[in-house]
C-alpha cells in the first residue's frame, strides 16, 4: 500500500481501486508535529468506505534513562522521540489532536470566537454506531485568565444532555450566564459511557485586543521592525519595564507606535 502519500494522492488511489480496501501500514508521523494533516486523512476515511485507516508511527517515545549519563533521558536525538505519548507515557500534543479527530462526538458552532450574546447552543454530531449521546456525560465551564499571575478563575455550567441517536445531529445546550462577556473562554468536554474523556474543546470569548490591553496597558509602546516584506515584532515596553527585546537585522527600519 502507499506510504506517507498526501491526502490528495490517497483520494486518487481510493477512487481508482474502489472497492478494494486500503489499510495503510504507516501514514502519519507523530514526531514533533502532532501528526500533521491527520484530520485530512480521516475526512477521507469517513468519506470512502474502502479506506479502513492506517497505523501511526509511533505510539510512545523510545527514551532510555542512561545510568552512564547521570540519569539523562536518551532518545537518540530525534530518532526515538516520535510517539503520541512521551517516554513516561505523558500526553503530548499529538495525543490531544488525534483524540479530537477520532472522537465519536463532535461539537461545533458557526463562530470560532463566541460573542457576548451567545445563547449556549452548539451543534453536536453523534458518530457512534450504537450509542445514544444521552448515555454520555457532558461538562462545560467558563474561565477568566490572568496571564501576568498565571492564575485562572473557573465557573462550572449546567449542560442539557442531548438525546441524539447514532449517526444523527442534534443541539447541545449550555446554560450560559448573563455576564458571559466578562469571561475569557468557554469549554466543553465529553466522556463516553465508560467515563473516559473522548472530546474537549475551548472557545474564546475575549478578543485579542482585550487580552493585549490587560497585559501591556493602554499607554504602552510597541517597537517593531519593517523588512522589505512582512512584519517582525522586536520589543514591547510597558512603563519602565521591558517585556521583550530583539536585535534588528541590518537594513531594517525601526518604528514605534502606541497601542490604542
Amino acid at each position: 500500500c502507499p506510504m506517507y502519500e498526501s491526502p490528495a494522492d490517497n483520494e486518487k488511489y481510493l477512487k481508482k481501486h474502489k472497492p478494494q480496501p486500503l489499510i495503510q501500514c504507516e501514514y502519519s508521523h507523530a514526531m514533533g508535529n502532532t501528526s500533521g494533516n491527520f484530520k485530512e486523512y480521516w475526512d477521507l476515511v469517513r468519506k470512502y468506505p474502502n479506506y479502513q485507516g492506517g497505523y501511526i508511527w509511533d505510539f510512545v517515545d523510545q527514551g532510555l534513562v542512561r545510568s552512564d549519563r547521570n540519569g539523562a533521558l536518551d532518545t537518540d536525538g530525534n530518532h526515538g522521540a516520535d510517539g503520541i505519548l512521551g517516554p513516561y507515557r505523558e500526553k503530548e500534543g499529538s495525543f490531544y489532536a488525534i483524540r479530537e479527530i477520532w472522537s465519536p462526538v463532535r461539537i461545533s458552532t458557526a463562530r470560532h470566537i463566541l460573542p457576548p450574546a451567545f445563547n449556549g447552543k452548539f451543534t453536536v454530531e453523534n458518530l457512534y454506531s450504537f450509542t445514544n449521546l444521552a448515555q454520555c456525560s457532558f461538562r462545560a465551564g467558563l474561565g477568566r485568565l490572568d496571564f501576568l499571575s498565571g492564575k485562572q478563575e473557573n465557573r462550572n455550567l449546567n449542560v442539557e444532555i442531548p438525546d441524539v441517536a447514532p449517526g444523527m445531529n442534534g443541539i447541545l445546550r449550555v446554560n450560559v450566564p448573563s455576564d458571559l462577556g466578562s469571561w475569557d473562554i468557554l469549554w466543553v468536554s465529553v466522556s463516553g459511557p465508560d467515563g473516559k474523556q473522548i472530546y474537549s474543546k475551548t472557545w474564546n470569548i475575549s478578543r485579542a485586543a482585550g487580552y493585549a490591553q490587560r497585559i501591556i496597558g493602554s499607554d504602552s509602546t510597541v517597537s517593531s521592525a519593517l523588512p522589505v516584506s512582512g512584519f517582525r515584532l522586536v520589543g514591547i515596553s510597558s512603563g519602565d519595564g521591558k517585556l521583550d527585546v530583539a536585535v534588528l537585522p541590518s537594513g531594517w527600519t525601526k518604528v514605534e507606535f502606541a497601542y490604542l
Side-chain angles (χ1 to χ4, degrees), residues 32-255:
N33 67 349
T34 63
S35 293
N37 276 349
F38 197 71
K39 179 182 182 298
E40 286 72 18
Y41 284 114
W42 274 81
D43 285 343
L44 294 178
V45 172
R46 294 188 167 101
K47 181 178 179 181
Y48 294 94
N50 55 322
Y51 196 177
Q52 304 294 292
Y55 294 87
I56 299 172
W57 189 275
D58 194 355
F59 173 64
V60 62
D61 288 352
Q62 301 158 63
L64 300 174
V65 175
R66 296 283 297 267
S67 59
D68 59 336
R69 295 185 183 176
N70 298 318
L73 185 67
D74 185 5
T75 60
D76 190 25
N78 63 4
H79 294 149
D82 48 17
I84 63 175
L85 297 179
Y88 296 102
R89 305 306 191 263
E90 66 271 30
K91 298 171 183 176
E92 299 180 348
S94 300
F95 171 88
Y96 294 101
I98 292 167
R99 182 180 68 179
E100 179 175 339
I101 294 165
W102 274 353
S103 174
V105 179
R106 288 182 177 181
I107 300 173
S108 62
T109 179
R111 300 173 181 269
H112 296 292
I113 300 178
L114 302 179
F118 178 62
N119 61 9
K121 292 183 180 180
F122 294 94
T123 299
V124 60
E125 183 179 5
N126 185 357
L127 297 176
Y128 275 113
S129 296
F130 304 100
T131 302
N132 190 300
L133 292 190
Q135 299 172 248
C136 298
S137 300
F138 291 77
R139 298 174 57 242
L142 297 170
R144 187 177 287 123
L145 311 175
D146 186 337
F147 295 105
L148 298 180
S149 68
K151 296 179 180 179
Q152 178 175 330
E153 179 184 352
N154 298 299
R155 176 176 175 180
N156 292 327
L157 301 176
N158 293 325
V159 181
E160 298 179 26
I161 299 177
D163 180 2
V164 182
M168 304 299 290
N169 294 348
I171 299 297
L172 174 70
R173 291 179 174 83
V174 177
N175 295 323
V176 296
S178 57
D179 65 342
L180 179 66
S182 68
W183 295 84
D184 293 321
I185 57 172
L186 185 151
W187 57 266
V188 177
S189 69
V190 187
S191 297
D194 60 358
K196 294 181 180 179
Q197 190 179 46
I198 56 175
Y199 183 89
S200 63
K201 192 166 185 176
T202 300
W203 293 265
N204 271 349
I205 301 172
S206 294
R207 268 57 175 175
Y211 288 128
Q213 187 173 20
R214 282 151 50 188
I215 294 173
I216 65 175
S218 59
D219 60 344
S220 300
T221 299
V222 180
S223 300
S224 309
L226 299 175
V228 176
S229 63
F231 179 86
R232 179 185 177 191
L233 181 68
V234 297
I236 300 176
S237 60
S238 179
D240 296 330
K242 198 75 173 177
L243 302 181
D244 191 17
V245 178
V247 179
L248 281 171
S250 60
W252 287 37
T253 302
K254 183 176 180 180
V255 298

